Amino acid sequence: MTSSVLHEALPNGREARSSGSARGLGLTVELEDGTALLDAVSGTFNVPLGYKHPAVVDAIREQSARGVHLASEFTRDRAREVLRPLLAHAPQGIGAAWMRDLTGSTANECAVRIAQKATGRAEVISLFLSHHGQTLYTTGLSGNAFRRAAFPAGPATGVKMPAPYCHRCFYAQSYPDCGLLCAERLADFVEFASSGSVAAVIVEPVLGNGGNVVPPPGYFERLREICDQHGILIIADEVQTGLGRLGTVFGSTTVGLRPDIITLAKGLGGIGVPVGAVLMREELDVLDSYEHSFTSGANPLALAAAEATIRVITDAAFLADVRRKGAVLGARLRQLGRSALVSDVRGTGMMWGLELSRPDGSPAPETAREVIRVAREEERLILRPSRYGFGNVVKVRPALIADDSELADIAERLERALIRVERSGGKAGR
């Protein structure tokens, strides 16, 4: 499959391009020709407060008047203060924070470095279908072979194990009578597939790019038990699930995950400002500054955006409304499961996915791409496919500020796109 296949989900088989005059406001992207697109996926899941939230815009404007860049020696103390409110909401045991990153990719590399240095071990276990970043290392860490195929010299990262994907269980079992083999088999992978030097397991509370896979109840609790038995740390990659996406400050608390290290990015900038952070148990705060640091990490603009975002997202009333709206969105999307194209609708909070399958039950990535194309061209609705278009899940993750009418509009436009593609036998109006 060539890279051009990945662009089939977008109009005319190519990525949308702009000379710079396109603009965003709330959930709307307005193109140069005046076309308004309703964004159902929060940019690339990095604008949880929409494209122009006044609190974040004002914070950036005020900071830019004072200065855009300072070396980390001058921002270190402020970075700690910015992250302090997050620690108050963090899962049990998380008490320290590190802010030297701009992306989730390097935040995850930071987490791995922490785990390796703290344990004296080397390997990291990750899941099939997982997505942990775009650097050479985190591409290798992610659970998709197509992303590593062109880079055979990439660094060794460790072991991959089956994801807790109940709809297409690797072990051909059915929950809850499965014995949670997807978690239980971790001990076997440690003993028989690793080098015996496993520092950490890295997991997403909900597997985002892999298809919005929501692990079954009890999965993370059992994973924690096995990791404790083997002295293995758990890294929670919350780049997509953190900062309110699941209706809580951290997605880990929603799904029963008790991590040792948490990574954040994407939504931490509120309206798309690049910023990343790593939170950890205090005894894991082991890195020296020279072991993980970037020129623009914790720059004043990023700190201003993160501070304003955290203030909004940690508000109890805001989170309660996200949970309410997540239930509304989920109910509307579940109704779309009546389509013959849809084999599963799953999600939690404001993070949902529709899995599309062929009549024989096999995955239908070509149909997912077609639904997304039709939604964009005929319904002016922005959606995203799983696994960069190689997957068969249509992802729906609107900004957390979406109101009920916008959620209804998203569901209605998506429904019309599904109907068009279903009536055409999977190929609508090309």
Side-chain angles (χ1 to χ4, degrees):
M1 186 179 291
T2 65
S3 60
S4 64
V5 172
L6 305 186
H7 301 156
E8 289 185 14
L10 299 176
N12 304 314
R14 60 178 181 272
E15 293 188 54
R17 292 179 173 84
S18 170
S19 63
S21 58
R23 62 179 184 175
L25 178 63
L27 273 69
T28 301
V29 175
E30 185 177 310
L31 304 183
E32 300 161 50
D33 62 2
T35 301
L37 304 175
L38 179 60
D39 185 354
V41 287
S42 306
T44 48
F45 324 125
N46 62 330
V47 289
L49 299 184
Y51 283 98
K52 201 176 178 181
H53 193 284
V56 185
V57 170
D58 289 347
I60 293 171
R61 182 182 294 114
E62 291 171 9
Q63 180 58 56
S64 64
R66 294 196 298 271
V68 172
H69 176 81
L70 288 170
S72 59
E73 65 178 298
F74 301 112
T75 62
R76 187 177 300 114
D77 290 343
R78 187 182 177 200
R80 292 195 190 99
E81 289 304 310
V82 167
L83 294 177
R84 192 180 304 279
L86 287 183
L87 294 176
H89 295 270
Q92 178 184 352
I94 301 295
W98 178 283
M99 200 175 191
R100 297 288 184 87
D101 295 280
L102 292 173
T103 72
S105 301
T106 61
N108 282 329
E109 289 199 13
C110 179
V112 170
R113 284 173 165 169
I114 290 169
Q116 290 174 331
K117 186 173 182 180
T119 64
R121 301 176 185 176
E123 286 187 310
V124 178
I125 293 178
S126 54
L127 301 180
F128 293 2
L129 300 172
S130 61
H131 178 76
H132 299 296
Q134 292 286 3
T135 62
L136 193 60
Y137 180 81
T138 54
T139 294
L141 193 62
S142 301
N144 283 290
F146 74 86
R147 297 189 59 224
R148 300 188 294 274
F151 311 104
T157 54
V159 177
K160 310 291 186 298
M161 63 179 283
Y165 187 6
C166 293
H167 188 62
R168 299 186 187 277
C169 178
F170 180 85
Y171 299 103
Q173 301 294 306
S174 296
Y175 183 84
D177 300 321
C178 57
L180 288 173
L181 285 176
C182 49
E184 290 291 342
R185 287 291 180 259
L186 171 60
D188 293 329
F189 279 88
V190 172
E191 182 173 359
F192 301 113
S194 78
S195 66
S197 179
V198 178
V201 172
I202 185 168
V203 292
E204 302 162 81
V206 174
L207 280 78
N209 195 45
N212 219 78
V213 176
V214 182
Y219 172 80
F220 284 121
E221 290 84 350
R222 183 58 184 139
L223 202 71
R224 177 79 267 177
E225 292 173 355
I226 297 171
C227 285
D228 287 345
Q229 292 166 8
H230 290 82
I232 297 170
L233 301 178
I234 294 181
I235 300 169
D237 178 348
E238 292 241 30
V239 171
Q240 295 193 31
T241 60
L243 285 307
R245 177 56 55 186
L246 304 189
T248 49
V249 177
F250 295 95
S252 293
T253 58
T254 297
V255 299
L257 171 59
R258 184 166 53 86
D260 302 289
I261 305 169
I262 298 171
T263 59
L264 298 170
K266 285 191 182 290
L268 187 56
I271 59 173
V273 177
V275 57
V278 183
L279 282 62
M280 68 216 78
R281 298 199 331 254
E282 291 192 61
E283 62 269 29
L284 297 177
D285 190 6
V286 297
L287 293 187
D288 291 309
S289 60
Y290 59 82
E291 291 177 308
H292 186 85
S293 189
F294 295 88
T295 301
S296 297
N299 68 78
L301 284 185
L303 291 176
E307 184 174 44
T309 300
I310 291 168
R311 190 177 297 117
V312 172
I313 285 178
T314 55
D315 179 75
F318 178 86
L319 290 172
D321 197 44
V322 170
R323 292 191 293 272
R324 181 193 65 79
K325 291 186 294 190
V328 169
L329 178 62
R332 294 297 299 260
L333 295 178
R334 286 194 180 98
Q335 292 176 0
L336 305 188
R338 295 173 298 190
S339 168
L341 303 178
V342 179
S343 62
D344 193 28
V345 179
R346 53 180 178 263
T348 183
M350 294 277 274
M351 187 171 182
W352 289 83
L354 281 70
E355 179 151 350
L356 306 189
S357 300
R358 302 186 184 101
D360 64 1
S362 62
E366 71 287 346
T367 305
R369 293 193 297 269
E370 182 65 4
V371 168
I372 292 169
R373 185 192 69 81
V374 170
R376 175 76 69 89
E377 291 189 353
E378 301 186 31
E379 295 295 335
R380 301 293 184 259
L381 179 68
I382 303 173
L383 299 164
R384 303 264 177 216
S386 62
R387 302 180 68 224
Y388 294 95
F390 285 84
N392 64 317
V393 175
V394 175
K395 295 183 285 189
V396 183
R397 303 174 192 172
L400 306 183
I401 62 165
D403 61 32
D404 286 20
S405 65
E406 289 169 322
L407 298 179
D409 198 4
I410 288 169
E412 289 165 5
R413 296 191 196 196
L414 176 52
E415 181 177 25
R416 289 194 295 266
L418 284 167
I419 290 171
R420 284 191 177 94
V421 174
E422 184 176 349
R423 286 176 176 172
S424 70
K427 295 292 180 182
R430 302 208 82 177

